[in-house]
Amino acid sequence: MESKLAMFGGSPAVPEEHRQVAWPVITDSDREAMLRVFDTGKFAEGEQEIGALELEWAKFAGTRHAVGVANGTAAITLALAALGVEPGDEVLVPALSFIASAMAPLHQLAIPVFVDVDPRTFNIDPRRIEEKITPRTRAILPVHFHGLPADMDAIRAIARKHDLFVVEDVAQAPGATYKGSAVGSLGDAGCFSLNVAKNVPTCGEGGLVTTDDPVLYEKVVMLRQFGEVIKAGETRIYLSHMLGWNYKLNTVQAAFTRRQLEHYPEYQAQRERNIAAFLARLAELPGLVVPHVPAGCTHVYHIIRFRFDPVAAGLEGVAPGPFRQAVRRALRAEGVPISQYQLIPLPGQHPFQTREGYGQGLPWSLPGALPQRYAIEDYPQALAVIEDSLTLQRRQLHPESGPLLQSYADAFEKIWLNLERVGRMARSAAYEAPWQPIVRQRPYVPGGASAAHLGASAMGIE
Ligand SMILES: *Cc1c(COP(=O)(O)O)cnc(C)c1O
């Protein structure tokens, strides 16, 4: 292989023909399943496809029940609502996740309280949970981030001790296991996403809530459809018993996911082989930190995150952020679509900085709600991970991504042969941390103006 970096005029390590791999995989049998749904003319809640998916999903997740819902965010909101999490209650959320993990509690007027992450697993750090517990805390929301189970024994022990609910955010980790049990079966409720980019997708948006609790199950079923009780075979009487939503799944989405779930064991086995062979090559490169998988866990690699350590790479005087930036440029030139996923810890996102919420400052302005700092410097591990890491997304989910991933490994190895030059680039390039432009920004207001009233406290400085 040519050793000259593509960035400096060499030919890219990733050949064009390998780049066609996409996700999700759609086969003729998927197409036929879709057509069969269209031919039945039955699209709404209550039809067989949805009930069948719920049974199959409960089996997959190792729970007694599963409820199909509109999306993963709705799944979290419905689980919190069904558990009785109330306005002004606090929910503990990892500081590094997708925004939905923190926004879903807000939809229930609950207040997210952030906990820093473990720098090796990128999951909520159980050692930092108890210091965040207050008399208002009602639930812990561990996210199995990137497909790796959170430290559930430690989390459940803390929840038991303080009488808290555990609601798992399983959006990135369907099929991952913790000490032999599927994630989604380890808390009071599990919340899954069927978004088209996730590991077990639908053709668009969808989600599920899993639980062993028959009462919780019944409540989620009511909440997804206006608080009504609708029994199979009985006429709907349009009577609502409680505040509910219209958060249902449809039969096209259910049928699509049923096909994907059928393929799951075969796709997952191939993925594991492809990704293991890829990571084995990368683990040889000094200063390249591949994902850590604690004993007793399986990782389903929804996202593959690498950290970059310039000291271990032998680069004197190069800081982690500039090293990551230089490696990113070099990898992208080689044809590796490496990217950053999450540029700022969740508390730095505008909804938490402005605290406008529903208007009138709700939920933070509720009587009895405790004040929140939302200062990103309180989450040094999340900041460090954001600063020095890069991610691969989506293409590695394709069961035939093996050759593509091998050419990515070629690209990494080529860059490591040229580390001195990459290091020089890192030393001389202009650099600012990923969150700095965001911290300077005002939230966008539709119509183009900027909110001018962000004060010091709204920027997290108290
Ligand atoms: C995708 C995702 C969600 C939300 O799922 P949607 O179906 O997109 O609403 C929640 N949490 C995490 C960690 C996610 O990645």
Side-chain angles (χ1 to χ4, degrees):
M1 190 186 59
E2 185 192 328
S3 68
K4 189 171 184 189
L5 291 176
M7 188 166 59
F8 300 125
S11 49
V14 183
E16 211 42 63
E17 69 267 23
H18 287 174
R19 300 187 198 184
Q20 307 312 318
V21 170
W23 180 255
V25 176
I26 297 170
T27 64
D28 282 343
S29 74
D30 298 304
R31 287 187 191 91
E32 283 158 23
M34 290 295 95
L35 282 177
R36 275 201 298 280
V37 174
F38 282 112
D39 291 343
T40 64
K42 294 185 168 137
F43 298 110
E45 172 54 37
E47 302 297 347
Q48 191 267 339
E49 288 289 348
I50 296 167
L53 172 66
E54 290 172 340
L55 289 176
E56 289 157 8
W57 199 276
K59 192 158 170 247
F60 172 62
T63 54
R64 287 172 65 188
H65 305 286
V67 188
V69 298
N71 55 63
T73 312
I76 300 171
T77 303
L78 290 180
L80 294 173
L83 286 165
V85 171
E86 291 184 347
D89 285 346
E90 295 174 359
V91 177
L92 300 175
V93 179
L96 184 62
S97 184
F98 179 60
I99 187 73
S101 310
M103 213 174 258
L106 277 185
H107 290 164
Q108 181 58 13
L109 285 166
I111 296 176
V113 171
F114 296 99
V115 178
D116 208 358
V117 294
D118 179 305
R120 292 184 78 197
T121 63
F122 316 134
N123 280 325
I124 191 167
D125 187 341
R127 293 167 300 186
R128 312 315 300 254
I129 291 178
E130 284 193 286
E131 67 201 55
K132 296 290 180 125
I133 293 175
T134 74
R136 298 302 315 260
T137 312
R138 290 295 301 285
I140 308 174
L141 196 128
V143 180
H144 306 301
F145 203 41
H146 298 350
L148 177 71
D151 186 353
M152 292 305 290
D153 279 351
I155 292 166
R156 288 195 299 193
I158 295 167
R160 263 195 308 276
K161 181 171 157 199
H162 297 273
D163 197 19
L164 306 175
F165 297 120
V166 176
V167 176
E168 298 176 77
D169 179 340
V170 201
Q172 299 194 356
T177 59
Y178 177 84
K179 300 190 176 171
S181 298
V183 291
S185 70
L186 303 166
D188 296 286
C191 304
F192 291 84
S193 168
L194 300 177
N195 176 278
V196 66
K198 302 288 162 96
N199 286 33
V200 184
T202 187
C203 46
E205 306 278 347
L208 293 122
V209 179
T210 52
T211 183
D212 285 329
D213 179 345
V215 178
L216 195 69
Y217 163 71
E218 224 186 318
K219 202 153 174 206
V220 175
V221 171
M222 288 175 73
L223 292 178
R224 79 172 164 188
Q225 188 161 348
F226 304 110
E228 295 178 51
V229 178
I230 299 171
K231 293 252 155 67
E234 284 178 22
T235 316
R236 184 178 177 188
I237 60 166
Y238 299 96
L239 179 66
S240 179
H241 297 267
M242 60 180 78
L243 171 67
W245 288 262
N246 181 12
Y247 275 172
K248 301 188 295 291
L249 194 66
N250 69 47
T251 55
V252 176
Q253 292 162 335
F256 190 95
T257 297
R258 289 184 70 200
R259 299 292 315 164
Q260 295 287 322
L261 194 56
E262 219 172 271
H263 290 300
Y264 179 84
E266 160 207 337
Y267 287 178
Q268 184 56 23
Q270 277 176 271
R271 255 176 229 152
E272 275 166 24
R273 276 196 298 278
N274 297 337
I275 294 171
F278 171 56
L279 294 180
R281 283 178 66 186
L282 267 50
E284 298 296 313
L285 304 176
L288 172 51
V289 184
V290 300
H292 169 67
V293 184
C297 291
T298 61
H299 197 318
V300 293
Y301 296 110
H302 175 64
I303 289 174
I304 306 179
R305 185 181 289 271
F306 304 105
R307 297 190 73 175
F308 297 92
D309 176 351
V311 174
L315 296 173
E316 284 300 318
V318 178
F323 182 40
R324 183 262 310 148
Q325 176 175 270
V327 172
R328 179 181 194 273
R329 273 187 59 192
L331 279 169
R332 292 186 73 93
E334 299 298 336
V336 181
I338 198 114
S339 61
Q340 284 159 284
Y341 178 77
Q342 303 305 317
L343 299 176
I344 190 164
L346 289 178
Q349 292 260 8
H350 293 317
F352 302 102
Q353 294 298 307
T354 63
R355 278 168 253 202
E356 286 175 355
Y358 275 92
Q360 298 173 18
L362 289 166
W364 296 276
S365 59
L366 282 162
L370 302 177
Q372 301 299 327
R373 259 173 67 84
Y374 296 145
I376 59 173
E377 60 271 25
D378 292 348
Y379 307 93
Q381 300 302 340
L383 287 173
V385 170
I386 290 169
E387 176 127 51
D388 71 8
S389 68
L390 293 170
T391 61
L392 289 173
Q393 299 178 48
R394 206 149 168 170
R395 285 184 177 84
Q396 79 281 358
L397 296 176
H398 194 293
E400 279 147 33
S401 67
L404 177 74
L405 295 178
Q406 287 299 312
S407 68
Y408 288 180
D410 294 340
F412 277 92
E413 286 170 2
K414 189 170 156 188
I415 290 164
W416 253 249
L417 285 175
N418 291 276
L419 261 193
E420 272 312 317
R421 193 145 183 211
V422 173
R424 275 202 302 281
M425 202 169 86
R427 275 186 211 98
S428 62
Y431 179 77
E432 66 176 355
W435 55 85
Q436 279 165 351
I438 299 173
V439 169
R440 279 199 304 272
Q441 237 183 59
R442 296 285 182 256
Y444 178 77
V445 175
S450 269
H453 56 277
L454 272 184
S457 96
M459 295 306 287
I461 309 153
E462 301 217 337

